[in-house]
Every structure is written in C-alpha cells, then in structure tokens.
Amino acid sequence: MNRLLLAALLAPAFATSTAQAQAPAKGVADDIFADHPSMDRNAVVMPGPDAKPVVPFFAERPIGDASIARTADGGWILTGTPLRSGARHGVALWTSIDGKSWKGWGPARIAGNGIAPGDVSERYLAPSVTVARGGLYLAFSDKTGCARIATGTTPGGSFAASPCLVEDTSDASLFVDRDGTGYLLWGGGYIAKLRPGFQKLAEAPRFLKPDQKLFAAHPPVGKDWPVRTRVGRTGATMFRDGDRYLLAASEVTGRMRTATEDLFIAEGPTPYGPFSMRMLAVPHAGRGAIVRRDDGGLATAYNPKCEDGFALFCEQVGLVPLERAPDGRLRQAASVLTEDSAVAARRPLITGETMRDPSVTLGGDGFYYLVGTLDGYGYHKPEGGVKLWRSADLRQWDAVGLVWRWEDMGYDFGGNIAELWAPEIKWVARDRTYYLAFSVMERGVGGKTWLYRSSSGKAEGPYQNVTTSYLVEGIDGFPFEDDDGLYFLWGGGRIAKLNAARSGFDGPVRTLADVDGDAVGYEGNGLIKVNGVYFLTGAEWHGPLRTHGTYDMMYGTSKSLFGPYSQRRMGAPHGGHGTAFADKQGRYWYTMFGNDPTAPWRMHFGLVPIDIGDPASIGVPRIDAARE
C-alpha cells in the first residue's frame, strides 16, 4: 500500500557539509524560553557516523518493567513483569554470563511473613533486583500493595520476605550504598532509609524532586512544567556513580503523538539530594535500571511498551550506553539510536550557524535555494536580514549572502524590539521569478508578514515589496502556486488568492482545517500538490511543550484546495516548521531544523526524505531501512 512515508531508504543520510556547530547568539532567546531546561541542549546526542540501533539482549519471552543488575562474577541478572503468555506469578529471574544466552530460574522461592513456601499464586508487578554485599535482593509490591524485600543469595535458592514496609505502593526498588545502608524507593521518587537487615523503615518516607532553588528566578508557569515537581512518575531507582547519586524514573510524556515512556535522570550529592533538574536521558526506554558496563561506563535498560509506536522493539530488553554531555549530565551515547524513525539517524547539512524554520525551493535555473530564521531566534532590527544558500545536489550548500536587509523595509516599529522570523522562498513559474515572505515579531505587539518579489527573476534579487507595507497580520507566510493562480497561506491555516499585481487578495480569506475542524498544525503551514491531491503540512507540539515534548510535522490531504482536509496525522516526527518540495528526480523532501530535545540535532538545517503516495494513510519506516 502506498503511503506518505518518511522513506529515508530513498537516499542515504547526507553528510554534514560545514564545520562544527557554533552556539546560539547570547541574549537572543525570549525570557519565556529561559527556564526551559532542555532549551538548546539535546536529550540525545547527534548520532555518530556508525551509530547503530539498540537491539535486544534479552528476548527469551515478553517482559515489562525490566530490572537488571550485575553479578559478582561480571554476569547479569534480570527480572520484570512477565507478559502475554506463560506463568504470570511470583518474581521470575533470569541470569546470563555474557549477556547473550540466558538461563531461566522460574519464579523465585519467596517465603515468610505471610507468604507460604512455594506459593507463587500472587502476581508481583514491576519487581526489581539488587546485588550487594554478597546478597541478592528482590523488591516488590504484593497484591495488597505492600512493599517488601526478599533476601537470598542465589537465583535458585530460597528468599526470605520482609514484613510490609510501606502500604499502597508500586515499583519498589532497593538501593544499597557502599557502607551497606539500604534505601527503599518506590513510585516516582519516594525514599526511606531501612534499618540493618532491611526488615523495617528507619525513617519517615520523603519525596525526591529537583531542588526548588533552581527555579527561584522563574516561578512555575502553565501546565507543562513537570520538571519542577518530580523526576518521573514511575519506576524510581538509584545508582551511585563516584560521589554522585543518580535518581532515575520514567514517565509517559505523550511525545510524538504516541505513548512514549522516557527515562529521566537527576543527580545529587546524597541519596536525598539536593537534586539537579531532571533531564531526559533515554527516549523510549521505559523503566530503566542503571548498571555498570564492562568498560566502566554506565548503561540503562531499554524496555519499551508496545503502545510506543516509535520504539525500536517492545517487551524485550536492550542496553543503552550513556555518556556525559559537555555540561556533565547523562544522556544516551552517540553510538546508539533509540528511536524507530527516518529522522533519528539523519544529520544536519549546515552547522556553521544556527537555523530555524528552513525553507527550500527548486528554482527555475535548476538550483535549490534555502533561507531560514538565523541568529538563534531571529535577527533583531537593525542587525542582519535574510540570508540565502544555494545547492546543485541538496548535499553541498554554498552561502550566497544577505538578499534582504532591514534598511530595505522602510517601516517604523516605533522603538519596539523587532525580530525577523520564518523567511520563506518560492520560485513561481507563472511569474518567472522568486518570492520572499518573512515575518516580523514586535515585542508586545505581535507578528506581521511581508511579501517581496525578485525584480531580476533571480534568487539573489534584488527584492521589492509587493505593497507599501506588510501584506497580512500574522506570521509564517507561505506562497503557493496552484493551477489557477498564486495563493498566500499564513497564520496557522488562513489562505487567500493573490491578485494579479500580488499586492493584495482577490476573493475572501479562508481558513484551512481538517474534517474535525482542527488546524493541521498551529503554525508553519505549507502546501504541495501531487497528482491532484493537496498536502497541507503544519507544525505541532506534542507532550510537555518545549521541556520534553516534540515539535512534529502534521499533515492532512484533500482533493480541494479549501478542504476539508483529512484528519491530521503525524508526517515527520521532530519535523515541525519546514517545507515539503520535490527535487529534480521527482523525489520529495521535508526540511527540518530540530526544535525539541529528542531531535537528533538542534537548530540546524537538515532534510528528511518523504514518500508521497496514497493520501489516506501515513507510515514511518524502520530505522534500518532509513539508513540504507
């Protein structure tokens, strides 16, 4: 079945064409963004040239809530919630000497404090395993919600269960510090020290969360700030790395319009903190115990649920190596890919300066032309302008230079701060020239969009305003050439036909929407027409906005320009505000820049191949195909 598909199998990932990325210009970000802990800092690192998708190292049977630990002889021990088939009771254990072949021990023989010897009639959800000081410990919640710790020495031996330690709990885990002190953790971050022997709490429970002093300069705003109140919602575990205590927990964030359960990590100098802000360390990982690799580095379990449509596999267990980012936080290593999409394996094409909202057009001279938002978050008047790049093959991009400057505008902003955003370049065959649309945001006033036309018929201009002022109020202007004339799309779905002089509109302004009446993206709309079908694209945030959400490209289709369009669907994860276009071979591409912390890069121009076919469906290829 043909589909609108992120088909990176159509072409290999292009290599980076310029030097190492430079940091965004200081002071250009709006204050509203200043407190986003992920701003300009990836949760993932740009994949290395030989990055490989994470693969299962345990696939003996479907399992969830995986917990792994290293044994004294360097082997592995694993437990979790058995799923789908077979025994569902007790605490199942598996061991491996090499992490390749596994021995199953069946349900652990737990007894004591109300649990009869050999009784595996209870189903213990999300158990965890800990190896410490010559002992083997299983933490679990029984069917009444009581957290217990079972103590043993070998997987096939007997385990003595503790009394109920805490009621109404889930996701219990045990952390044993170097001095032998034990701590019970549960839920998304509760902790309590245990008395020696781990049979009773030594203190009242407390909840671990990021140090609130870190947010003193920026009080909580809105509903998208889980970073302030918790590290995660489920599966809290702790690991000591040198003199730092790592607190890990997972949370289903709703990124990518699917049930992504991501692993977050915060760090502190003691088991009680104070803890750093949480950082998204491993996307799609699910509950992720931290372990030490043979080379001394750290890794986490990767055990996604099948509800996550972008995980590489589900209900099996893999290992994701971690690395330290330049600022010291932990994140997945550059050697591994954790997302099943064509975007995850790609690399940017221009890294010499930052770029957002990239726009590409195939010109009448056979060259491709590129513009985008520069200087971090747009040049401030009177600095800079619209810069143009040119390419013959979509691989090597050469800077042409500024083709529009603020002094060309002749508009009085009355002393307001004005920022240049979202330029769009379009070759219009019927006019035999190029059009340049761009938006200006005035602080405290809002956005307006201008439309300029090349008077020479060349992409480098010079460009002249089609009218004496701005063309429309609103942002993200997009010229679209149809069979009957030239249209202008802007502001999250508004559209009107330009008059013959291109200085205004012939006919009414309409709003494009899907069959449910929803906008196909709240900003950054674009249009292409393929075989009589209109594809309307747009940008939308999914999940907790800029903190840990994804900025995705949505699309809808219609056989009529004015719709209604099909129910909006995901087109390109992390694609966001970009432009779809056809190359000289008839292949289709979408521009992207990386606007969220799980994009493979941030604020640089890149291309994602798209396969446009049956307008009724959409799909995302496997990551192995995406790298061919």
Side-chain angles (χ1 to χ4, degrees):
M1 177 175 63
N2 292 326
R3 303 197 281 185
L4 170 56
L5 180 69
L6 291 183
L9 65 161
L10 294 178
F14 292 159
T16 303
S17 61
T18 54
Q20 181 69 26
Q22 66 182 22
K26 294 182 179 180
V28 300
D30 293 344
D31 290 341
I32 191 173
F33 298 139
D35 191 34
H36 287 286
S38 65
M39 206 63 195
D40 304 321
R41 295 189 292 178
N42 272 31
V44 298
V45 64
M46 189 168 70
D50 298 321
K52 302 294 184 184
V54 61
V55 297
F57 84 136
F58 175 85
E60 304 301 304
R61 60 164 301 165
I63 189 174
D65 310 309
S67 173
I68 55 176
R70 302 302 303 268
T71 59
D73 59 359
W76 303 82
I77 185 165
L78 178 145
T79 188
T81 305
L83 301 169
R84 297 186 183 276
S85 62
R88 290 170 172 256
H89 304 297
V91 179
L93 293 171
W94 294 267
T95 58
S96 175
I97 296 174
D98 55 8
K100 297 178 181 178
S101 58
W102 291 85
K103 174 180 175 58
W105 296 90
R109 294 187 290 143
I110 301 172
N113 286 295
I115 300 177
D119 181 6
V120 293
S121 61
E122 292 191 27
R123 186 184 186 197
Y124 302 137
L125 297 177
S128 69
V129 60
T130 301
V131 177
R133 302 177 70 85
L136 181 60
Y137 304 93
L138 306 176
F140 60 92
S141 295
D142 64 22
K143 65 181 180 181
T144 69
C146 277
R148 298 170 180 253
I149 294 174
T151 303
T153 57
T154 62
S158 60
F159 290 80
S162 74
C164 179
L165 299 172
V166 182
E167 297 180 344
D168 300 322
T169 63
S170 61
D171 299 339
S173 68
L174 172 68
F175 167 65
V176 182
D177 209 347
R178 291 174 182 168
D179 62 2
T181 303
Y183 299 84
L184 180 71
L185 292 98
W186 65 95
Y190 287 97
I191 190 172
K193 183 187 294 185
L194 295 162
R195 291 185 179 180
F198 309 156
Q199 299 295 297
K200 192 173 183 179
L201 299 188
E203 62 183 4
R206 65 187 78 182
F207 187 74
L208 304 177
K209 59 184 179 181
D211 183 4
Q212 297 302 290
K213 293 179 181 178
L214 297 173
F215 307 108
H218 300 278
V221 176
K223 63 182 180 180
D224 66 314
W225 299 90
V227 290
R228 304 175 185 275
T229 58
R230 60 184 180 270
V231 174
R233 287 194 179 275
T234 59
T237 60
M238 188 168 284
F239 186 90
R240 184 166 178 176
D241 183 30
D243 59 356
R244 304 291 290 173
Y245 292 82
L246 311 180
L247 175 62
S250 63
E251 184 164 335
V252 177
T253 61
R255 293 186 309 106
M256 306 176 72
R257 208 174 168 86
T258 189
T260 53
E261 186 177 16
D262 303 318
L263 183 70
F264 297 85
I265 294 178
E267 301 186 42
T270 76
Y272 306 116
F275 284 97
S276 64
M277 291 186 289
R278 78 174 191 174
M279 289 294 175
L280 200 166
V282 185
H284 310 280
R287 175 175 173 172
I290 302 174
V291 294
R292 186 77 63 185
R293 305 194 309 263
D294 291 340
D295 63 4
L298 299 180
T300 69
Y302 181 87
N303 181 219
K305 293 179 172 62
C306 292
E307 291 81 4
D308 186 343
F310 289 94
L312 284 161
F313 51 82
C314 67
E315 297 180 354
Q316 298 173 331
V317 186
L319 280 177
V320 175
L322 300 176
E323 67 177 25
R324 291 282 179 181
D327 61 6
R329 64 200 164 86
L330 285 169
R331 64 184 181 186
Q332 72 176 59
S335 61
V336 68
L337 302 169
T338 56
E339 179 180 297
D340 188 10
S341 78
V343 177
R346 301 192 69 79
R347 299 170 65 85
L349 298 170
I350 295 176
T351 59
E353 55 187 300
T354 63
M355 185 182 298
R356 302 169 64 87
D357 318 310
S359 168
V360 168
T361 192
L362 174 57
D365 56 1
F367 284 94
Y368 302 95
Y369 292 96
L370 162 72
V371 296
T373 304
L374 303 179
D375 197 40
Y377 298 90
Y379 279 117
H380 287 196
K381 187 178 185 300
E383 302 296 327
V386 177
K387 186 175 179 179
L388 183 71
W389 281 262
R390 183 173 68 176
S391 174
D393 57 8
L394 296 179
R395 296 174 181 268
Q396 177 65 40
W397 292 86
D398 300 315
V400 176
L402 291 176
V403 295
W404 181 90
R405 295 172 175 80
W406 287 100
E407 55 264 31
D408 300 333
M409 176 176 278
Y411 183 86
D412 184 9
F413 291 99
N416 291 327
I417 295 176
E419 302 164 329
L420 179 62
W421 280 14
E424 194 83 34
I425 189 168
K426 183 68 66 175
W427 163 255
V428 176
R430 62 174 14 93
D431 292 356
R432 305 296 301 168
T433 194
Y434 296 83
Y435 285 84
L436 187 67
F438 58 84
S439 302
V440 176
M441 292 291 295
E442 287 182 82
R443 296 286 180 89
V445 176
K448 300 177 178 66
T449 296
W450 276 255
L451 181 63
Y452 277 68
R453 175 173 49 208
S454 172
S455 59
S456 68
K458 298 179 180 179
E460 57 267 32
Y463 284 88
Q464 296 178 341
N465 196 345
V466 299
T467 184
T468 58
S469 185
Y470 57 87
L471 182 67
V472 294
E473 292 190 356
I475 63 172
D476 297 343
F478 183 91
F480 171 68
E481 185 178 13
D482 205 357
D483 297 335
D484 64 341
L486 186 63
Y487 290 80
F488 196 75
L489 177 67
W490 79 98
R494 282 174 284 178
I495 191 170
K497 187 177 182 181
L498 288 162
N499 59 26
R502 313 309 190 206
S503 59
F505 298 130
D506 278 343
V509 174
R510 307 174 189 235
T511 299
L512 304 184
D514 72 4
V515 291
D516 295 328
D518 295 325
V520 181
Y522 79 102
E523 68 176 7
N525 288 126
L527 275 165
I528 55 173
K529 187 178 182 180
V530 183
N531 298 325
V533 176
Y534 296 91
F535 288 79
L536 173 64
T537 62
E540 191 69 68
W541 280 98
H542 297 114
L545 199 61
R546 293 170 180 84
T547 51
H548 298 114
T550 48
Y551 187 63
D552 304 313
M553 181 267 271
M554 306 297 290
Y555 86 104
T557 64
S558 174
K559 292 186 177 180
S560 168
L561 173 60
F562 302 117
Y565 283 78
S566 61
Q567 190 177 58
R568 61 182 184 172
R569 303 176 184 180
M570 173 82 77
H574 316 289
H577 184 165
T579 301
F581 68 96
D583 67 14
K584 287 179 280 190
Q585 289 74 41
R587 300 172 301 184
Y588 287 89
W589 301 85
Y590 193 77
T591 67
M592 68 167 284
F593 65 94
N595 195 32
D596 63 69
T598 52
W601 68 83
R602 296 295 297 277
M603 296 175 62
H604 296 296
F605 163 64
L607 288 173
V608 178
I610 56 176
D611 179 22
I612 296 180
D614 181 359
S617 60
I618 183 174
V620 179
R622 308 305 296 180
I623 200 167
D624 53 350
R627 291 175 62 83
E628 290 179 357

